[in-house]
Amino acid sequence: MFFAVDVSSARDFVLVIDPGHGGHDPGAVGAISKEKDINLRVALAFGQLVEKNCPDVKVVYTRNRDVFIPLARRAEIANNAKADLFISVHTNAVDGNKTVKGASTWTLGLARTGANLEVAKRENSVILYEDDYKQKYAGFNPYSSESYIIFELIQDQYMEQSVSLASIIQKQFKSYAGRIDRGVHQAGFLVLKASAMPSVLVELGFISTPAEEKYLNTKQGTQELSTSIYKAFLEYKKEWELKNNQGSGNASDKVSKDKSKKLPAENADTDEAKSKSGKTEVKVSEKSESPVFMVQILTSSKKLPSGSSQFKGQKDVEYYFEKGLYKYYCCKSADYNYVYKKRRELATKFKGAFIIAFKNGKRVDVNDAIDEYKKTKR
Ligand SMILES: [Zn+2]
């Protein structure tokens, strides 16, 4: 028997991490190091923090080793993965200044000043490493200011979210890593233009400034910078979940078989009373010994009245309470294939609807539940 297992259903959020440059493209070159290596170290450390602590996030790297990836390919990876967020990691450099310091975060837009344009020119010039760049990038000349006119008419629907993340990253660079805050800027980055999701480009610091290059090549530097981006990511994702009325909870939730919480009493009122303690609670009792699947459709910080317009006419809506949020689900069934089909239907109404599983009254890892379901069906 064939079971269509939609792995993505177990992952609420897709994060694409893009370590800039690589392979025969070193990026900016300092006295003791190359940009591509700094970017990769920080990007991997950031990704590992997410992988370790956010089981509901799928992390995709455009590269995880020292290899050349064309710029257009990086955006394509993000678009194909249907990423919710794209974070490109770079290191800055400037000619003729060995003292300038600090981290900055960039979003897509038209550079208003020459200095901003210079950063975009430098980062976009990587396309010159690609033989067919003239065709591939429609005659775009990274060094010609005129080429940047294509960024003038951009209607970036993700601008607000991108800028919001960029600001949080800067806040963390300053407060957690103690870096000089060079602010949030806009410029015409090809890699951001081609990615269809909120996206930012981080410049960790200046490889051209000896003191900063040294820091960028220490363990402490890697740890502080990657953790700053990670903390900002958590903050961004929390906001995103509230806005999208979805998510399996707070980004720092560690939902696993062992750590999943008990679903207690059948009495909804008792549950309500307990809900202030922050424990997971449900209105229904799910005590089945085999996994029960359902489609989570939205999350709310307030309890919604039954028949709320937010349910969009969906009838069989129930909820559980976790980490201060009411999480609404429907289409409960022991038949995974049924729930799988339902999720696909519901995804048009509830963007990001995803499958969750309970067993013996506890929320369990959905992939484990699917495995168990498949075994018992064999
Ligand atoms: Zn770069």
Side-chain angles (χ1 to χ4, degrees):
M1 199 167 167
F2 173 73
F3 291 96
V5 176
D6 183 3
V7 178
S8 70
S9 62
R11 296 278 184 263
D12 311 336
F13 193 102
V14 179
L15 166 67
V16 172
I17 302 176
D18 174 45
H21 313 277
H24 65 278
D25 165 19
V29 177
I32 56 162
S33 62
K34 291 175 179 145
E35 181 192 348
K36 63 174 184 177
D37 300 316
I38 297 169
N39 299 344
L40 184 61
R41 273 199 306 271
V42 172
L44 289 180
F46 162 49
Q48 276 155 16
L49 283 170
V50 178
E51 285 170 320
K52 204 173 120 202
N53 300 307
C54 310
D56 56 335
V57 177
K58 182 181 174 192
V59 180
V60 176
Y61 301 94
T62 55
R63 70 178 179 100
N64 56 11
R65 60 202 164 90
D66 186 17
V67 64
F68 180 78
I69 311 282
L71 212 54
R73 176 70 195 135
R74 294 170 189 264
E76 199 178 273
I77 289 169
N79 293 341
N80 290 346
K82 299 199 164 37
D84 294 294
L85 188 61
F86 179 84
I87 299 181
S88 193
V89 179
H90 289 259
T91 304
N92 219 335
V94 65
D95 283 338
N97 185 331
K98 293 201 175 299
T99 54
V100 60
K101 280 185 183 177
S104 53
T105 304
W106 300 70
T107 64
L108 185 63
L110 184 68
R112 305 253 169 237
T113 70
N116 285 4
L117 188 58
E118 285 315 305
V119 175
K121 280 181 179 175
R122 194 173 50 73
E123 297 295 7
N124 290 331
S125 68
V126 298
I127 64 172
L128 303 179
Y129 286 99
E130 301 171 39
D131 294 332
D132 51 351
Y133 80 92
K134 275 187 184 144
Q135 292 96 303
K136 237 160 93 186
Y137 300 95
F140 184 87
N141 176 352
Y143 291 125
S144 146
S145 301
E146 274 115 68
S147 279
Y148 286 80
I149 196 129
I150 60 164
F151 293 98
E152 202 161 356
L153 295 170
I154 286 172
Q155 289 287 333
D156 185 6
Q157 56 177 313
Y158 306 109
M159 177 80 153
E160 201 188 309
Q161 292 163 75
S162 304
V163 171
S164 158
L165 173 66
S167 314
I168 310 171
I169 293 177
Q170 282 307 116
K171 191 184 79 187
Q172 291 293 346
F173 277 152
K174 193 178 165 191
S175 65
Y176 182 80
R179 308 314 294 162
I180 290 169
D181 177 10
R182 300 191 68 82
V184 174
H185 304 273
Q186 273 79 48
F189 295 97
L190 288 173
V191 71
L192 300 185
K193 183 170 182 283
S195 50
M197 71 236 29
S199 55
V200 299
L201 186 148
V202 167
E203 296 279 1
L204 300 168
F206 288 86
I207 199 172
S208 48
T209 298
E212 201 147 83
E213 183 184 19
K214 214 169 146 192
Y215 171 78
L216 292 166
N217 282 283
T218 58
K219 266 203 179 117
Q220 187 198 347
T222 306
Q223 188 272 331
E224 287 176 352
L225 293 166
S226 59
T227 305
S228 300
I229 305 171
Y230 168 67
K231 285 162 89 94
F233 168 72
L234 289 185
E235 212 175 302
Y236 172 87
K237 186 169 162 286
K238 209 169 175 179
E239 250 173 57
W240 178 90
E241 273 163 6
L242 288 171
K243 263 186 221 151
N244 286 268
N245 283 332
Q246 64 178 31
S248 66
N250 184 302
S252 57
D253 275 6
K254 289 172 184 129
V255 179
S256 69
K257 263 185 300 180
D258 304 317
K259 290 188 180 169
S260 58
K261 296 123 204 149
K262 274 212 158 51
L263 298 179
E266 283 143 68
N267 184 327
D269 292 328
T270 320
D271 289 348
E272 283 281 36
K274 269 192 248 156
S275 68
K276 289 192 178 67
S277 69
K279 286 183 190 135
T280 301
E281 284 148 40
V282 278
K283 209 178 108 220
V284 292
S285 65
E286 295 302 349
K287 291 186 175 159
S288 166
E289 279 180 27
S290 42
V292 180
F293 299 93
M294 44 273 238
V295 185
Q296 186 165 317
I297 49 173
L298 60 92
T299 299
S300 170
S301 53
K302 277 183 284 190
K303 192 179 172 198
L304 302 171
S306 59
S308 161
S309 61
Q310 289 211 55
F311 301 145
K312 300 180 183 175
Q314 188 65 31
K315 291 279 179 263
D316 57 338
V317 180
E318 293 171 292
Y319 72 91
Y320 64 104
F321 186 85
E322 188 177 59
K323 298 230 169 174
L325 293 172
Y326 294 88
K327 300 178 178 184
Y328 291 87
Y329 61 86
C330 61
C331 309
K332 183 171 67 191
S333 170
D335 179 356
Y336 172 73
N337 281 340
Y338 165 80
V339 179
Y340 175 81
K341 245 185 274 161
K342 283 291 172 189
R343 186 200 76 95
R344 301 206 90 159
E345 290 168 24
L346 285 162
T348 53
K349 263 202 288 190
F350 300 97
K351 194 188 165 284
F354 62 99
I355 299 175
I356 56 171
F358 280 88
K359 192 184 160 186
N360 292 323
K362 289 181 193 174
R363 175 138 183 223
V364 293
D365 182 278
V366 73
N367 286 322
D368 292 347
I370 293 165
D371 283 347
E372 191 178 334
Y373 169 76
K374 283 197 283 185
K375 263 180 221 147
T376 54
K377 291 282 159 184
R378 204 171 278 152

